């Protein structure tokens, strides 16, 4: 039978302790954006389905297609933050730009949209900008910590 007692031994004497600490710090360091990735995904998902929720696919077909494409792109960035946060930090500002474009596209892509469509896209765009700023702030904070 094996002796499973670890008396007199601790992790400090392990030969790979420094490598394990570095790996653990890297793994935890990339998850700072975890509180933002799910809301980004949900805002993108709602942006994609909003033309059918608000029923403006018939009178604003180009804006409906636009919202579908933008929603899928925003949701893909949200999934990217979940799957590969350390690689996606550089795209934090792209979320802000997408939010600003979502606000402006209401009048650029749409043709005389009504108040419901305007409010929908302004709220989605505003939330996207706020979440993008939160991602960028987390990105800059974690970048300063690793340097």
């Amino acid at each position: 039978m094996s002796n499973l007692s670890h008396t007199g031994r601790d992790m400090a004497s392990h030969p790979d302790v420094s490598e394990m600490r570095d790996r653990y710090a890297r793994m935890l360091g990339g998850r700072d954006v975890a509180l933002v990735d799910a809301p980004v995904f949900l805002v993108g998902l709602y942006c994609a389905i909003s033309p059918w929720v608000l029923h403006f696919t018939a009178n604003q077909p180009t804006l409906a297609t636009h919202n579908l494409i933008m929603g899928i792109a925003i949701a893909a960035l949200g999934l990217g933050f979940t799957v590969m946060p350390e690689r996606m930090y550089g795209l934090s500002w792209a979320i802000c730009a997408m939010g600003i474009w979502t606000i402006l596209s209401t009048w650029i892509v749409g043709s005389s949209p009504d108040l419901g469509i305007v409010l929908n896209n302004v709220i989605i765009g505003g939330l996207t900008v706020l979440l993008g700023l939160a991602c960028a702030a987390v990105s800059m904070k974690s970048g300063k910590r690793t340097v």
Side-chain angles (χ1 to χ4, degrees):
M1 191 159 172
S2 298
N3 181 7
L4 297 177
S5 66
H6 296 290
T7 57
R9 294 182 139 186
D10 60 349
M11 283 301 292
S13 64
H14 193 280
D16 296 329
V17 71
S18 63
E19 182 181 336
M20 288 189 296
R21 282 187 185 138
D22 291 342
R23 183 170 186 254
Y24 185 71
R26 280 193 316 268
M27 294 300 288
L28 286 181
R31 294 305 303 154
D32 289 342
V33 78
L35 294 176
V36 183
D37 54 2
V40 169
F41 176 75
L42 291 175
V43 166
L45 187 65
Y46 177 73
C47 183
I49 65 168
S50 66
W52 291 273
V53 171
L54 297 177
H55 304 291
F56 65 86
T57 55
N59 61 351
Q60 297 284 336
T62 56
L63 193 59
T65 305
H66 171 269
N67 277 17
L68 177 66
I69 293 169
M70 288 299 291
I72 290 171
I74 293 169
L77 284 176
L79 284 176
F81 277 122
T82 302
V83 175
M84 297 178 289
E86 64 281 347
R87 290 185 173 204
M88 296 297 288
Y89 279 145
L91 293 176
S92 300
W93 293 106
I95 295 175
C96 294
M98 292 170 81
I100 292 169
W101 173 248
T102 302
I103 294 170
L104 296 176
S105 68
T106 307
W107 295 280
I108 296 171
V109 176
S111 57
S112 64
D114 62 356
L115 182 63
I117 297 170
V118 170
L119 285 176
N120 179 63
N121 277 13
V122 167
I123 290 171
I124 290 172
L127 285 173
T128 306
V129 169
L130 288 176
L131 291 171
L133 289 173
C135 288
V138 168
S139 169
M140 291 185 345
K141 182 183 79 170
S142 66
K144 287 180 182 176
R145 206 175 349 138
T146 58
V147 174

mmCIF file with all atom_site columns, all heavy atoms in Angstrom, residues 101-126:
data_model
loop_
_atom_site.group_PDB
_atom_site.id
_atom_site.type_symbol
_atom_site.label_atom_id
_atom_site.label_alt_id
_atom_site.label_comp_id
_atom_site.label_asym_id
_atom_site.label_entity_id
_atom_site.label_seq_id
_atom_site.pdbx_PDB_ins_code
_atom_site.Cartn_x
_atom_site.Cartn_y
_atom_site.Cartn_z
_atom_site.occupancy
_atom_site.B_iso_or_equiv
_atom_site.pdbx_formal_charge
_atom_site.auth_seq_id
_atom_site.auth_comp_id
_atom_site.auth_asym_id
_atom_site.auth_atom_id
_atom_site.pdbx_PDB_model_num
ATOM 1   N N   . TRP A 1 101 ? -21.825 52.874 -34.924 1.00 0.00 ? 101 TRP A N   1
ATOM 2   C CA  . TRP A 1 101 ? -22.388 52.651 -36.243 1.00 0.00 ? 101 TRP A CA  1
ATOM 3   C C   . TRP A 1 101 ? -23.841 52.175 -36.157 1.00 0.00 ? 101 TRP A C   1
ATOM 4   O O   . TRP A 1 101 ? -24.672 52.556 -36.973 1.00 0.00 ? 101 TRP A O   1
ATOM 5   C CB  . TRP A 1 101 ? -21.557 51.661 -37.050 1.00 0.00 ? 101 TRP A CB  1
ATOM 6   C CG  . TRP A 1 101 ? -22.223 51.293 -38.332 1.00 0.00 ? 101 TRP A CG  1
ATOM 7   C CD1 . TRP A 1 101 ? -22.739 50.080 -38.658 1.00 0.00 ? 101 TRP A CD1 1
ATOM 8   C CD2 . TRP A 1 101 ? -22.516 52.155 -39.440 1.00 0.00 ? 101 TRP A CD2 1
ATOM 9   N NE1 . TRP A 1 101 ? -23.312 50.126 -39.903 1.00 0.00 ? 101 TRP A NE1 1
ATOM 10  C CE2 . TRP A 1 101 ? -23.184 51.398 -40.405 1.00 0.00 ? 101 TRP A CE2 1
ATOM 11  C CE3 . TRP A 1 101 ? -22.262 53.488 -39.695 1.00 0.00 ? 101 TRP A CE3 1
ATOM 12  C CZ2 . TRP A 1 101 ? -23.614 51.916 -41.608 1.00 0.00 ? 101 TRP A CZ2 1
ATOM 13  C CZ3 . TRP A 1 101 ? -22.685 54.017 -40.909 1.00 0.00 ? 101 TRP A CZ3 1
ATOM 14  C CH2 . TRP A 1 101 ? -23.352 53.244 -41.842 1.00 0.00 ? 101 TRP A CH2 1
ATOM 15  N N   . THR A 1 102 ? -24.157 51.361 -35.160 1.00 0.00 ? 102 THR A N   1
ATOM 16  C CA  . THR A 1 102 ? -25.537 50.891 -35.004 1.00 0.00 ? 102 THR A CA  1
ATOM 17  C C   . THR A 1 102 ? -26.480 52.065 -34.746 1.00 0.00 ? 102 THR A C   1
ATOM 18  O O   . THR A 1 102 ? -27.599 52.097 -35.257 1.00 0.00 ? 102 THR A O   1
ATOM 19  C CB  . THR A 1 102 ? -25.634 49.855 -33.868 1.00 0.00 ? 102 THR A CB  1
ATOM 20  O OG1 . THR A 1 102 ? -24.752 48.768 -34.169 1.00 0.00 ? 102 THR A OG1 1
ATOM 21  C CG2 . THR A 1 102 ? -27.037 49.323 -33.708 1.00 0.00 ? 102 THR A CG2 1
ATOM 22  N N   . ILE A 1 103 ? -26.022 53.039 -33.981 1.00 0.00 ? 103 ILE A N   1
ATOM 23  C CA  . ILE A 1 103 ? -26.835 54.230 -33.730 1.00 0.00 ? 103 ILE A CA  1
ATOM 24  C C   . ILE A 1 103 ? -27.016 55.028 -35.017 1.00 0.00 ? 103 ILE A C   1
ATOM 25  O O   . ILE A 1 103 ? -28.131 55.390 -35.404 1.00 0.00 ? 103 ILE A O   1
ATOM 26  C CB  . ILE A 1 103 ? -26.209 55.101 -32.626 1.00 0.00 ? 103 ILE A CB  1
ATOM 27  C CG1 . ILE A 1 103 ? -26.235 54.363 -31.287 1.00 0.00 ? 103 ILE A CG1 1
ATOM 28  C CG2 . ILE A 1 103 ? -26.939 56.434 -32.510 1.00 0.00 ? 103 ILE A CG2 1
ATOM 29  C CD1 . ILE A 1 103 ? -25.432 55.034 -30.197 1.00 0.00 ? 103 ILE A CD1 1
ATOM 30  N N   . LEU A 1 104 ? -25.909 55.303 -35.704 1.00 0.00 ? 104 LEU A N   1
ATOM 31  C CA  . LEU A 1 104 ? -25.961 56.149 -36.905 1.00 0.00 ? 104 LEU A CA  1
ATOM 32  C C   . LEU A 1 104 ? -26.658 55.458 -38.077 1.00 0.00 ? 104 LEU A C   1
ATOM 33  O O   . LEU A 1 104 ? -27.297 56.120 -38.911 1.00 0.00 ? 104 LEU A O   1
ATOM 34  C CB  . LEU A 1 104 ? -24.553 56.558 -37.314 1.00 0.00 ? 104 LEU A CB  1
ATOM 35  C CG  . LEU A 1 104 ? -23.795 57.437 -36.315 1.00 0.00 ? 104 LEU A CG  1
ATOM 36  C CD1 . LEU A 1 104 ? -22.385 57.691 -36.813 1.00 0.00 ? 104 LEU A CD1 1
ATOM 37  C CD2 . LEU A 1 104 ? -24.542 58.735 -36.077 1.00 0.00 ? 104 LEU A CD2 1
ATOM 38  N N   . SER A 1 105 ? -26.535 54.147 -38.149 1.00 0.00 ? 105 SER A N   1
ATOM 39  C CA  . SER A 1 105 ? -27.099 53.414 -39.293 1.00 0.00 ? 105 SER A CA  1
ATOM 40  C C   . SER A 1 105 ? -28.611 53.485 -39.352 1.00 0.00 ? 105 SER A C   1
ATOM 41  O O   . SER A 1 105 ? -29.194 53.226 -40.404 1.00 0.00 ? 105 SER A O   1
ATOM 42  C CB  . SER A 1 105 ? -26.655 51.961 -39.243 1.00 0.00 ? 105 SER A CB  1
ATOM 43  O OG  . SER A 1 105 ? -27.263 51.307 -38.145 1.00 0.00 ? 105 SER A OG  1
ATOM 44  N N   . THR A 1 106 ? -29.236 53.830 -38.251 1.00 0.00 ? 106 THR A N   1
ATOM 45  C CA  . THR A 1 106 ? -30.695 53.936 -38.249 1.00 0.00 ? 106 THR A CA  1
ATOM 46  C C   . THR A 1 106 ? -31.151 54.926 -39.306 1.00 0.00 ? 106 THR A C   1
ATOM 47  O O   . THR A 1 106 ? -32.136 54.690 -40.007 1.00 0.00 ? 106 THR A O   1
ATOM 48  C CB  . THR A 1 106 ? -31.181 54.379 -36.860 1.00 0.00 ? 106 THR A CB  1
ATOM 49  O OG1 . THR A 1 106 ? -30.633 53.489 -35.886 1.00 0.00 ? 106 THR A OG1 1
ATOM 50  C CG2 . THR A 1 106 ? -32.684 54.353 -36.767 1.00 0.00 ? 106 THR A CG2 1
ATOM 51  N N   . TRP A 1 107 ? -30.433 56.036 -39.445 1.00 0.00 ? 107 TRP A N   1
ATOM 52  C CA  . TRP A 1 107 ? -30.809 57.062 -40.412 1.00 0.00 ? 107 TRP A CA  1
ATOM 53  C C   . TRP A 1 107 ? -30.069 56.907 -41.738 1.00 0.00 ? 107 TRP A C   1
ATOM 54  O O   . TRP A 1 107 ? -30.542 57.345 -42.768 1.00 0.00 ? 107 TRP A O   1
ATOM 55  C CB  . TRP A 1 107 ? -30.532 58.446 -39.827 1.00 0.00 ? 107 TRP A CB  1
ATOM 56  C CG  . TRP A 1 107 ? -31.390 58.714 -38.641 1.00 0.00 ? 107 TRP A CG  1
ATOM 57  C CD1 . TRP A 1 107 ? -32.689 59.111 -38.647 1.00 0.00 ? 107 TRP A CD1 1
ATOM 58  C CD2 . TRP A 1 107 ? -31.021 58.557 -37.284 1.00 0.00 ? 107 TRP A CD2 1
ATOM 59  N NE1 . TRP A 1 107 ? -33.148 59.229 -37.363 1.00 0.00 ? 107 TRP A NE1 1
ATOM 60  C CE2 . TRP A 1 107 ? -32.146 58.893 -36.499 1.00 0.00 ? 107 TRP A CE2 1
ATOM 61  C CE3 . TRP A 1 107 ? -29.860 58.164 -36.620 1.00 0.00 ? 107 TRP A CE3 1
ATOM 62  C CZ2 . TRP A 1 107 ? -32.138 58.862 -35.118 1.00 0.00 ? 107 TRP A CZ2 1
ATOM 63  C CZ3 . TRP A 1 107 ? -29.854 58.135 -35.250 1.00 0.00 ? 107 TRP A CZ3 1
ATOM 64  C CH2 . TRP A 1 107 ? -30.986 58.476 -34.500 1.00 0.00 ? 107 TRP A CH2 1
ATOM 65  N N   . ILE A 1 108 ? -28.890 56.265 -41.715 1.00 0.00 ? 108 ILE A N   1
ATOM 66  C CA  . ILE A 1 108 ? -28.111 56.108 -42.944 1.00 0.00 ? 108 ILE A CA  1
ATOM 67  C C   . ILE A 1 108 ? -28.635 54.938 -43.781 1.00 0.00 ? 108 ILE A C   1
ATOM 68  O O   . ILE A 1 108 ? -28.848 55.063 -44.985 1.00 0.00 ? 108 ILE A O   1
ATOM 69  C CB  . ILE A 1 108 ? -26.614 55.933 -42.617 1.00 0.00 ? 108 ILE A CB  1
ATOM 70  C CG1 . ILE A 1 108 ? -26.078 57.209 -41.952 1.00 0.00 ? 108 ILE A CG1 1
ATOM 71  C CG2 . ILE A 1 108 ? -25.813 55.597 -43.856 1.00 0.00 ? 108 ILE A CG2 1
ATOM 72  C CD1 . ILE A 1 108 ? -24.678 57.091 -41.394 1.00 0.00 ? 108 ILE A CD1 1
ATOM 73  N N   . VAL A 1 109 ? -28.846 53.805 -43.138 1.00 0.00 ? 109 VAL A N   1
ATOM 74  C CA  . VAL A 1 109 ? -29.306 52.610 -43.847 1.00 0.00 ? 109 VAL A CA  1
ATOM 75  C C   . VAL A 1 109 ? -30.829 52.600 -43.975 1.00 0.00 ? 109 VAL A C   1
ATOM 76  O O   . VAL A 1 109 ? -31.369 52.233 -45.010 1.00 0.00 ? 109 VAL A O   1
ATOM 77  C CB  . VAL A 1 109 ? -28.815 51.326 -43.129 1.00 0.00 ? 109 VAL A CB  1
ATOM 78  C CG1 . VAL A 1 109 ? -29.361 50.085 -43.799 1.00 0.00 ? 109 VAL A CG1 1
ATOM 79  C CG2 . VAL A 1 109 ? -27.301 51.293 -43.088 1.00 0.00 ? 109 VAL A CG2 1
ATOM 80  N N   . GLY A 1 110 ? -31.510 53.010 -42.916 1.00 0.00 ? 110 GLY A N   1
ATOM 81  C CA  . GLY A 1 110 ? -32.969 53.000 -42.924 1.00 0.00 ? 110 GLY A CA  1
ATOM 82  C C   . GLY A 1 110 ? -33.539 54.156 -43.718 1.00 0.00 ? 110 GLY A C   1
ATOM 83  O O   . GLY A 1 110 ? -32.880 55.159 -43.983 1.00 0.00 ? 110 GLY A O   1
ATOM 84  N N   . SER A 1 111 ? -34.801 54.016 -44.114 1.00 0.00 ? 111 SER A N   1
ATOM 85  C CA  . SER A 1 111 ? -35.474 55.091 -44.840 1.00 0.00 ? 111 SER A CA  1
ATOM 86  C C   . SER A 1 111 ? -36.667 55.564 -44.003 1.00 0.00 ? 111 SER A C   1
ATOM 87  O O   . SER A 1 111 ? -37.657 54.857 -43.865 1.00 0.00 ? 111 SER A O   1
ATOM 88  C CB  . SER A 1 111 ? -35.943 54.594 -46.213 1.00 0.00 ? 111 SER A CB  1
ATOM 89  O OG  . SER A 1 111 ? -36.782 53.475 -46.070 1.00 0.00 ? 111 SER A OG  1
ATOM 90  N N   . SER A 1 112 ? -36.511 56.732 -43.429 1.00 0.00 ? 112 SER A N   1
ATOM 91  C CA  . SER A 1 112 ? -37.483 57.370 -42.525 1.00 0.00 ? 112 SER A CA  1
ATOM 92  C C   . SER A 1 112 ? -38.047 56.385 -41.497 1.00 0.00 ? 112 SER A C   1
ATOM 93  O O   . SER A 1 112 ? -39.227 56.033 -41.535 1.00 0.00 ? 112 SER A O   1
ATOM 94  C CB  . SER A 1 112 ? -38.603 58.041 -43.315 1.00 0.00 ? 112 SER A CB  1
ATOM 95  O OG  . SER A 1 112 ? -39.359 57.097 -44.040 1.00 0.00 ? 112 SER A OG  1
ATOM 96  N N   . PRO A 1 113 ? -37.175 55.921 -40.569 1.00 0.00 ? 113 PRO A N   1
ATOM 97  C CA  . PRO A 1 113 ? -37.625 54.958 -39.558 1.00 0.00 ? 113 PRO A CA  1
ATOM 98  C C   . PRO A 1 113 ? -38.562 55.615 -38.545 1.00 0.00 ? 113 PRO A C   1
ATOM 99  O O   . PRO A 1 113 ? -38.467 56.811 -38.277 1.00 0.00 ? 113 PRO A O   1
ATOM 100 C CB  . PRO A 1 113 ? -36.327 54.514 -38.900 1.00 0.00 ? 113 PRO A CB  1
ATOM 101 C CG  . PRO A 1 113 ? -35.401 55.662 -39.087 1.00 0.00 ? 113 PRO A CG  1
ATOM 102 C CD  . PRO A 1 113 ? -35.772 56.284 -40.395 1.00 0.00 ? 113 PRO A CD  1
ATOM 103 N N   . ASP A 1 114 ? -39.445 54.814 -37.972 1.00 0.00 ? 114 ASP A N   1
ATOM 104 C CA  . ASP A 1 114 ? -40.339 55.353 -36.954 1.00 0.00 ? 114 ASP A CA  1
ATOM 105 C C   . ASP A 1 114 ? -39.647 55.352 -35.585 1.00 0.00 ? 114 ASP A C   1
ATOM 106 O O   . ASP A 1 114 ? -38.515 54.877 -35.438 1.00 0.00 ? 114 ASP A O   1
ATOM 107 C CB  . ASP A 1 114 ? -41.664 54.585 -36.923 1.00 0.00 ? 114 ASP A CB  1
ATOM 108 C CG  . ASP A 1 114 ? -41.492 53.119 -36.557 1.00 0.00 ? 114 ASP A CG  1
ATOM 109 O OD1 . ASP A 1 114 ? -40.352 52.680 -36.398 1.00 0.00 ? 114 ASP A OD1 1
ATOM 110 O OD2 . ASP A 1 114 ? -42.519 52.425 -36.427 1.00 0.00 ? 114 ASP A OD2 1
ATOM 111 N N   . LEU A 1 115 ? -40.327 55.887 -34.587 1.00 0.00 ? 115 LEU A N   1
ATOM 112 C CA  . LEU A 1 115 ? -39.728 56.095 -33.266 1.00 0.00 ? 115 LEU A CA  1
ATOM 113 C C   . LEU A 1 115 ? -39.299 54.780 -32.613 1.00 0.00 ? 115 LEU A C   1
ATOM 114 O O   . LEU A 1 115 ? -38.242 54.720 -31.972 1.00 0.00 ? 115 LEU A O   1
ATOM 115 C CB  . LEU A 1 115 ? -40.713 56.831 -32.350 1.00 0.00 ? 115 LEU A CB  1
ATOM 116 C CG  . LEU A 1 115 ? -40.209 57.148 -30.948 1.00 0.00 ? 115 LEU A CG  1
ATOM 117 C CD1 . LEU A 1 115 ? -39.017 58.088 -31.016 1.00 0.00 ? 115 LEU A CD1 1
ATOM 118 C CD2 . LEU A 1 115 ? -41.312 57.732 -30.104 1.00 0.00 ? 115 LEU A CD2 1
ATOM 119 N N   . GLY A 1 116 ? -40.058 53.714 -32.787 1.00 0.00 ? 116 GLY A N   1
ATOM 120 C CA  . GLY A 1 116 ? -39.700 52.428 -32.194 1.00 0.00 ? 116 GLY A CA  1
ATOM 121 C C   . GLY A 1 116 ? -38.384 51.879 -32.724 1.00 0.00 ? 116 GLY A C   1
ATOM 122 O O   . GLY A 1 116 ? -37.560 51.365 -31.974 1.00 0.00 ? 116 GLY A O   1
ATOM 123 N N   . ILE A 1 117 ? -38.192 52.003 -34.026 1.00 0.00 ? 117 ILE A N   1
ATOM 124 C CA  . ILE A 1 117 ? -36.951 51.526 -34.645 1.00 0.00 ? 117 ILE A CA  1
ATOM 125 C C   . ILE A 1 117 ? -35.777 52.380 -34.187 1.00 0.00 ? 117 ILE A C   1
ATOM 126 O O   . ILE A 1 117 ? -34.699 51.868 -33.872 1.00 0.00 ? 117 ILE A O   1
ATOM 127 C CB  . ILE A 1 117 ? -37.076 51.526 -36.181 1.00 0.00 ? 117 ILE A CB  1
ATOM 128 C CG1 . ILE A 1 117 ? -38.165 50.545 -36.613 1.00 0.00 ? 117 ILE A CG1 1
ATOM 129 C CG2 . ILE A 1 117 ? -35.752 51.186 -36.844 1.00 0.00 ? 117 ILE A CG2 1
ATOM 130 C CD1 . ILE A 1 117 ? -38.526 50.637 -38.075 1.00 0.00 ? 117 ILE A CD1 1
ATOM 131 N N   . VAL A 1 118 ? -35.991 53.690 -34.140 1.00 0.00 ? 118 VAL A N   1
ATOM 132 C CA  . VAL A 1 118 ? -34.928 54.596 -33.698 1.00 0.00 ? 118 VAL A CA  1
ATOM 133 C C   . VAL A 1 118 ? -34.528 54.283 -32.262 1.00 0.00 ? 118 VAL A C   1
ATOM 134 O O   . VAL A 1 118 ? -33.338 54.141 -31.951 1.00 0.00 ? 118 VAL A O   1
ATOM 135 C CB  . VAL A 1 118 ? -35.372 56.076 -33.844 1.00 0.00 ? 118 VAL A CB  1
ATOM 136 C CG1 . VAL A 1 118 ? -34.382 56.999 -33.179 1.00 0.00 ? 118 VAL A CG1 1
ATOM 137 C CG2 . VAL A 1 118 ? -35.552 56.436 -35.304 1.00 0.00 ? 118 VAL A CG2 1
ATOM 138 N N   . LEU A 1 119 ? -35.513 54.157 -31.378 1.00 0.00 ? 119 LEU A N   1
ATOM 139 C CA  . LEU A 1 119 ? -35.204 53.842 -29.976 1.00 0.00 ? 119 LEU A CA  1
ATOM 140 C C   . LEU A 1 119 ? -34.519 52.490 -29.844 1.00 0.00 ? 119 LEU A C   1
ATOM 141 O O   . LEU A 1 119 ? -33.567 52.334 -29.058 1.00 0.00 ? 119 LEU A O   1
ATOM 142 C CB  . LEU A 1 119 ? -36.478 53.862 -29.136 1.00 0.00 ? 119 LEU A CB  1
ATOM 143 C CG  . LEU A 1 119 ? -37.041 55.227 -28.797 1.00 0.00 ? 119 LEU A CG  1
ATOM 144 C CD1 . LEU A 1 119 ? -38.351 55.095 -28.043 1.00 0.00 ? 119 LEU A CD1 1
ATOM 145 C CD2 . LEU A 1 119 ? -36.043 56.032 -27.992 1.00 0.00 ? 119 LEU A CD2 1
ATOM 146 N N   . ASN A 1 120 ? -34.968 51.514 -30.590 1.00 0.00 ? 120 ASN A N   1
ATOM 147 C CA  . ASN A 1 120 ? -34.357 50.192 -30.559 1.00 0.00 ? 120 ASN A CA  1
ATOM 148 C C   . ASN A 1 120 ? -32.877 50.264 -30.911 1.00 0.00 ? 120 ASN A C   1
ATOM 149 O O   . ASN A 1 120 ? -32.027 49.777 -30.159 1.00 0.00 ? 120 ASN A O   1
ATOM 150 C CB  . ASN A 1 120 ? -35.086 49.259 -31.525 1.00 0.00 ? 120 ASN A CB  1
ATOM 151 C CG  . ASN A 1 120 ? -34.479 47.880 -31.554 1.00 0.00 ? 120 ASN A CG  1
ATOM 152 O OD1 . ASN A 1 120 ? -34.469 47.178 -30.560 1.00 0.00 ? 120 ASN A OD1 1
ATOM 153 N ND2 . ASN A 1 120 ? -33.962 47.498 -32.713 1.00 0.00 ? 120 ASN A ND2 1
ATOM 154 N N   . ASN A 1 121 ? -32.549 50.884 -32.032 1.00 0.00 ? 121 ASN A N   1
ATOM 155 C CA  . ASN A 1 121 ? -31.152 50.926 -32.464 1.00 0.00 ? 121 ASN A CA  1
ATOM 156 C C   . ASN A 1 121 ? -30.307 51.843 -31.586 1.00 0.00 ? 121 ASN A C   1
ATOM 157 O O   . ASN A 1 121 ? -29.127 51.563 -31.370 1.00 0.00 ? 121 ASN A O   1
ATOM 158 C CB  . ASN A 1 121 ? -31.067 51.330 -33.928 1.00 0.00 ? 121 ASN A CB  1
ATOM 159 C CG  . ASN A 1 121 ? -31.277 50.151 -34.847 1.00 0.00 ? 121 ASN A CG  1
ATOM 160 O OD1 . ASN A 1 121 ? -31.712 49.095 -34.410 1.00 0.00 ? 121 ASN A OD1 1
ATOM 161 N ND2 . ASN A 1 121 ? -30.985 50.326 -36.109 1.00 0.00 ? 121 ASN A ND2 1
ATOM 162 N N   . VAL A 1 122 ? -30.874 52.918 -31.071 1.00 0.00 ? 122 VAL A N   1
ATOM 163 C CA  . VAL A 1 122 ? -30.109 53.804 -30.185 1.00 0.00 ? 122 VAL A CA  1
ATOM 164 C C   . VAL A 1 122 ? -29.798 53.094 -28.869 1.00 0.00 ? 122 VAL A C   1
ATOM 165 O O   . VAL A 1 122 ? -28.676 53.185 -28.360 1.00 0.00 ? 122 VAL A O   1
ATOM 166 C CB  . VAL A 1 122 ? -30.865 55.134 -29.955 1.00 0.00 ? 122 VAL A CB  1
ATOM 167 C CG1 . VAL A 1 122 ? -30.247 55.924 -28.812 1.00 0.00 ? 122 VAL A CG1 1
ATOM 168 C CG2 . VAL A 1 122 ? -30.866 55.967 -31.231 1.00 0.00 ? 122 VAL A CG2 1
ATOM 169 N N   . ILE A 1 123 ? -30.752 52.358 -28.335 1.00 0.00 ? 123 ILE A N   1
ATOM 170 C CA  . ILE A 1 123 ? -30.508 51.627 -27.085 1.00 0.00 ? 123 ILE A CA  1
ATOM 171 C C   . ILE A 1 123 ? -29.497 50.501 -27.306 1.00 0.00 ? 123 ILE A C   1
ATOM 172 O O   . ILE A 1 123 ? -28.565 50.325 -26.521 1.00 0.00 ? 123 ILE A O   1
ATOM 173 C CB  . ILE A 1 123 ? -31.835 51.095 -26.504 1.00 0.00 ? 123 ILE A CB  1
ATOM 174 C CG1 . ILE A 1 123 ? -32.680 52.272 -25.993 1.00 0.00 ? 123 ILE A CG1 1
ATOM 175 C CG2 . ILE A 1 123 ? -31.578 50.093 -25.382 1.00 0.00 ? 123 ILE A CG2 1
ATOM 176 C CD1 . ILE A 1 123 ? -34.089 51.896 -25.602 1.00 0.00 ? 123 ILE A CD1 1
ATOM 177 N N   . ILE A 1 124 ? -29.666 49.739 -28.384 1.00 0.00 ? 124 ILE A N   1
ATOM 178 C CA  . ILE A 1 124 ? -28.701 48.672 -28.688 1.00 0.00 ? 124 ILE A CA  1
ATOM 179 C C   . ILE A 1 124 ? -27.309 49.260 -28.902 1.00 0.00 ? 124 ILE A C   1
ATOM 180 O O   . ILE A 1 124 ? -26.317 48.761 -28.367 1.00 0.00 ? 124 ILE A O   1
ATOM 181 C CB  . ILE A 1 124 ? -29.133 47.865 -29.929 1.00 0.00 ? 124 ILE A CB  1
ATOM 182 C CG1 . ILE A 1 124 ? -30.363 47.036 -29.623 1.00 0.00 ? 124 ILE A CG1 1
ATOM 183 C CG2 . ILE A 1 124 ? -28.006 46.949 -30.407 1.00 0.00 ? 124 ILE A CG2 1
ATOM 184 C CD1 . ILE A 1 124 ? -30.950 46.369 -30.849 1.00 0.00 ? 124 ILE A CD1 1
ATOM 185 N N   . GLY A 1 125 ? -27.221 50.330 -29.680 1.00 0.00 ? 125 GLY A N   1
ATOM 186 C CA  . GLY A 1 125 ? -25.928 50.958 -29.934 1.00 0.00 ? 125 GLY A CA  1
ATOM 187 C C   . GLY A 1 125 ? -25.307 51.532 -28.670 1.00 0.00 ? 125 GLY A C   1
ATOM 188 O O   . GLY A 1 125 ? -24.106 51.389 -28.446 1.00 0.00 ? 125 GLY A O   1
ATOM 189 N N   . GLY A 1 126 ? -26.123 52.164 -27.829 1.00 0.00 ? 126 GLY A N   1
ATOM 190 C CA  . GLY A 1 126 ? -25.604 52.714 -26.575 1.00 0.00 ? 126 GLY A CA  1
ATOM 191 C C   . GLY A 1 126 ? -25.070 51.637 -25.652 1.00 0.00 ? 126 GLY A C   1
ATOM 192 O O   . GLY A 1 126 ? -23.996 51.782 -25.063 1.00 0.00 ? 126 GLY A O   1
#
